[in-house]
Amino acid sequence: MSAAEEVNVLAPELLSQARMQALMEMRPVVEVLERLSGLGADAYAAALGRLFHYPVAVMSELATLEADFDTVAYAECVQRGVAFGRLPDGRRWLVCGDPFDAGIESWRGYELPPETQLLVAHKSHIHAWQQQMEARLRALQDFEGESLTELAEEGVDDLSLLRISADGSHVIRLVNSTIYDALKIGASDIHLECEASGLVIQYRVDGVLVQVGQLAGAELAEQVISRIKILAELDIAERRVPQDGRFKVRISGREIDFRVSVMPSLFGEDAVLRLLDRQALTESAKTLRLDVLGLDDETMAAIRGLASRPHGMLLVTGPTGSGKTTTLYAAITEIHTGRDKIITIEDPVEYRLPRTLQIPVNEKKGLTFARGLRSILRHDPDKIMVGEIRDDETAQIAVQAALTGHMVFTTVHANSVFDVVGRFLHMGVDPYSLSSALNGIVAQRLFRLNCTHCAAPATPEPEVLQQMGLSAAEVSGWNMRCGSGCGHCRGTGYKGRRAAAEVLVLNDQLRELIAVRAPLSQLKQAARETGIRPLRQTALAWVARGDTTLDEVARVTD
């Protein structure tokens, strides 16, 4: 904050004006003063802290504050406009949004533990914290009232496991509220990690883990993991080997799938729950196109050209959670005219496409990718989508299918478009066959976008510029921005993600190099001559526009 802004807030005449207007408008002084000051949320909270000589709590700190509703009830927090709880290091904080309220200080002195520290934060940040705590307290109330008989007939697991009665246990409420909160904020995974001191709860939001809670006590941690095992119908007594399971629930008419992985650890067991809202994915598939993924026009044109070919193979590569399958679905949706027979084999089937035969892998019953792909070829398909190539046999069959007049869409885990070739050769695929079958390779990543509510102009650190191979002169004209963290982005500074991809379209020169197992340096040189646009170049253009940050680009790309 500039010196002029600080004087503007602390000036006695401005305070007097705010008090008079607040009296006439019958509104709190803190609200009127904020309007008159013209400051943003963070700057205004900092100014209030200086005015009243209180420390200031930013949103990222509030996100780690674990509520203590045994001491201060949730309703009282809302009534007084405060946040109260413990930090991971054990300190107690009382965070208020209206330091003009003289009753807050006296209430702290008489009712709260003596070590409680009083801080100031913007009221919007406190409200966001209260909403987060409310989500945990609500404890999946939407599960109530569902017909268990009807759900059982539809193949949904018995929801009595999830229902809460008035005398329900603390562990049940804790697990249910954790699931509810994850669904509410759009998390893709829930991580429950056992440590020596207890349990750490994390959500994966926009591809990044965010800690949302920490529970003390090894016994409580063990009970929570046992509860997850019950829901997934796993062996509670077995704690020495990994276990996988799944369960389904219905919330307000929506069917949600949970895939559970339990892994033994040094201090007990860790559990990861993958959330899959099939109805939302099905609705998204109806309007799913490449342009809604955020890809630039040049990349979309290249992918559409590859997808519309009558035969061959289109490969999409990238790490887990980079949107590979979504890109393939979007490409297939765009070319699906109804004149071709399209068959997919996936693990699991994520989107439901109309007039498409979609086969889920079932390894317990012997239906693997390789076996399913062999059967698909006898079902007269025109276009085939293989969810992922994991083994030698699947790779061989997929390449042969592409060589015999089918268009094959598939994914493979690799770090770049060039690593894909090595992966296939390592799986025993003949290089000449691979070069003949392959039409193009798409390497994709997802980048987090700056939160539009709290993003502000920012100056990059010299270390980050050096890491990215950039100079201060190169970025001098860029509109670089960075989110400071607010209630809308849960203190992360990022909200939402966008896909970026580099596309390698094979020409005769590249095919010849692959067929003779040419060195990687030659492949890269030939690719540059085709005009391939690297992932990092696309992402840096977003940084220059203020859509994301250099830190995010450095996190995602090499």
Side-chain angles (χ1 to χ4, degrees):
M1 184 190 302
S2 67
E5 288 176 329
E6 183 175 343
V7 171
N8 183 38
V9 172
L10 301 181
E13 58 271 18
L14 188 63
L15 290 172
S16 299
Q17 181 184 355
R19 292 182 189 277
M20 291 180 60
Q21 289 195 20
L23 189 62
M24 290 186 294
E25 299 174 10
M26 300 184 65
R27 295 177 59 195
V29 176
V30 70
E31 294 182 7
V32 178
L33 181 60
E34 180 176 10
R35 186 185 69 214
L36 295 177
S37 70
L39 298 176
D42 291 334
Y44 182 60
L48 286 178
R50 282 190 290 270
L51 178 62
F52 287 91
H53 305 287
Y54 290 146
V56 178
V58 297
M59 187 62 207
S60 58
E61 294 174 322
L62 275 177
T64 65
L65 186 66
E66 191 66 30
D68 181 5
F69 292 132
D70 292 334
T71 304
V72 180
Y74 169 76
E76 189 166 12
C77 285
V78 174
Q79 179 184 356
R80 293 183 179 273
V82 300
F84 176 79
R86 292 178 180 269
L87 293 171
D89 60 9
R91 287 180 294 160
R92 291 177 182 266
W93 274 10
L94 173 64
V95 187
C96 72
D98 185 4
F100 290 95
D101 184 356
I104 294 291
E105 181 67 63
S106 59
W107 174 61
R108 180 188 67 151
Y110 285 107
E111 300 292 337
L112 301 182
E115 71 274 12
T116 301
Q117 184 179 9
L118 180 59
L119 296 90
V120 175
H122 193 269
K123 61 180 182 180
S124 64
H125 296 172
I126 294 177
H127 180 63
W129 179 88
Q130 291 173 348
Q131 284 188 316
Q132 181 181 347
M133 295 304 110
E134 179 199 11
R136 300 182 189 180
L137 286 176
R138 287 185 61 182
L140 295 176
Q141 292 175 354
D142 286 342
F143 282 122
E144 297 292 345
E146 295 285 356
S147 170
L148 300 181
T149 303
E150 176 186 349
L151 294 174
E153 292 174 353
E154 296 179 5
V156 182
D157 290 348
D158 188 347
L159 293 189
S160 61
L161 295 171
L162 288 172
R163 306 186 73 174
I164 301 176
S165 60
D167 58 350
S169 75
H170 172 65
V171 172
I172 293 177
R173 287 196 297 270
L174 172 63
V175 171
N176 291 354
S177 60
T178 299
I179 293 175
Y180 180 87
D181 191 26
L183 291 169
K184 185 175 181 181
I185 69 172
S188 61
D189 301 84
I190 302 173
H191 288 244
L192 305 174
E193 301 177 355
C194 290
E195 297 185 342
S197 58
L199 186 72
V200 175
I201 303 174
Q202 298 184 98
Y203 296 155
R204 187 175 294 280
V205 182
D206 289 336
V208 178
L209 285 178
V210 179
Q211 182 171 327
V212 298
Q214 188 168 4
L215 305 174
E219 184 178 355
L220 177 60
E222 182 180 332
Q223 292 174 354
V224 170
I225 300 299
S226 295
R227 175 63 180 168
I228 298 297
K229 287 183 175 181
I230 291 174
L231 295 176
E233 297 184 351
L234 302 178
D235 186 354
I236 298 178
E238 181 56 72
R239 301 176 184 175
R240 296 166 297 178
V241 297
Q243 296 188 69
D244 296 321
R246 62 198 317 154
F247 63 92
K248 296 181 182 180
V249 296
R250 174 173 290 185
I251 304 177
S252 301
R254 304 184 75 89
E255 189 176 298
I256 312 295
D257 282 5
F258 292 85
R259 291 198 295 172
V260 179
S261 172
V262 178
M263 193 77 65
S265 68
L266 187 61
F267 301 106
E269 291 177 292
D270 289 7
V272 175
L273 285 69
R274 166 66 58 89
L275 284 64
L276 187 62
D277 186 346
R278 294 190 181 278
Q279 183 174 337
L281 293 174
T282 301
E283 293 172 357
S284 299
K286 297 176 183 177
T287 57
L288 187 59
R289 298 179 61 85
L290 290 171
D291 48 7
V292 305
L293 303 181
L295 297 168
D296 59 85
D297 294 340
E298 182 181 343
T299 301
M300 285 191 292
I303 296 176
R304 283 170 177 152
L306 292 171
S308 59
R309 295 190 182 185
H311 54 78
M313 179 182 290
L314 171 58
L315 271 170
V316 182
T317 186
T320 301
S322 59
K324 301 185 297 296
T325 305
T326 303
T327 297
L328 285 183
Y329 271 114
I332 291 173
T333 301
E334 290 193 0
I335 65 170
H336 195 358
T337 61
R339 295 192 296 267
D340 293 326
K341 178 74 171 183
I342 300 179
I343 305 178
T344 75
I345 180 165
E346 308 165 61
D347 183 23
V349 175
E350 295 184 6
Y351 298 83
R352 294 175 184 172
L353 300 176
R355 300 184 63 184
T356 301
L357 174 57
Q358 295 177 271
I359 305 169
V361 166
N362 190 339
E363 294 188 356
K364 292 183 178 179
K365 300 294 184 180
L367 179 55
T368 61
F369 276 112
R371 184 174 180 180
L373 187 52
R374 270 195 237 99
S375 299
I376 286 174
L377 293 175
R378 296 192 291 269
H379 209 71
D380 191 28
D382 296 295
K383 303 184 188 301
I384 303 168
M385 173 180 157
V386 182
E388 181 185 347
I389 292 182
R390 300 174 179 172
D391 55 73
D392 301 6
E393 188 178 5
T394 306
Q396 298 276 3
I397 300 172
V399 169
Q400 290 302 316
L403 291 172
T404 54
H406 304 88
M407 182 62 201
V408 178
F409 301 81
T410 188
T411 71
V412 65
H413 285 292
N415 293 325
S416 70
V417 293
F418 306 104
D419 291 340
V420 169
V421 176
R423 283 291 308 276
F424 271 82
L425 297 181
H426 180 72
M427 286 188 284
V429 176
D430 175 62
Y432 182 80
S433 299
L434 176 63
S435 64
S436 301
L438 200 55
N439 291 336
I441 307 170
V442 179
Q444 181 169 307
R445 300 290 190 277
L446 292 178
F447 294 84
R448 292 182 297 170
L449 300 176
N450 285 329
C451 175
T452 56
H453 293 87
C454 64
T459 302
E461 297 292 336
E463 295 81 6
V464 178
L465 289 176
Q466 184 178 2
Q467 179 185 358
M468 299 293 294
L470 298 170
S471 65
E474 290 179 275
V475 303
S476 58
W478 291 10
N479 178 32
M480 302 183 70
R481 298 173 65 82
C482 180
S484 58
C486 65
H488 296 277
C489 60
R490 298 175 69 91
T492 64
Y494 298 94
K495 184 71 173 178
R497 289 191 291 178
R498 181 179 177 184
E502 61 182 21
V503 184
L504 178 63
V505 181
L506 267 70
N507 56 20
D508 291 341
Q509 181 185 4
L510 286 169
R511 295 183 195 279
E512 290 174 1
L513 291 174
I514 293 174
V516 298
R517 297 177 180 263
L520 185 60
S521 58
Q522 292 187 28
L523 281 176
K524 289 185 176 181
Q525 178 60 35
R528 281 193 290 268
E529 293 174 359
T530 68
I532 185 173
R533 189 184 188 192
L535 267 170
R536 176 166 284 193
Q537 184 179 337
T538 301
L540 288 178
W542 297 349
V543 175
R545 293 197 302 266
D547 295 337
T548 189
T549 64
L550 282 176
D551 288 331
E552 180 66 4
V553 176
R555 182 186 70 86
V556 176
T557 64
D558 293 331

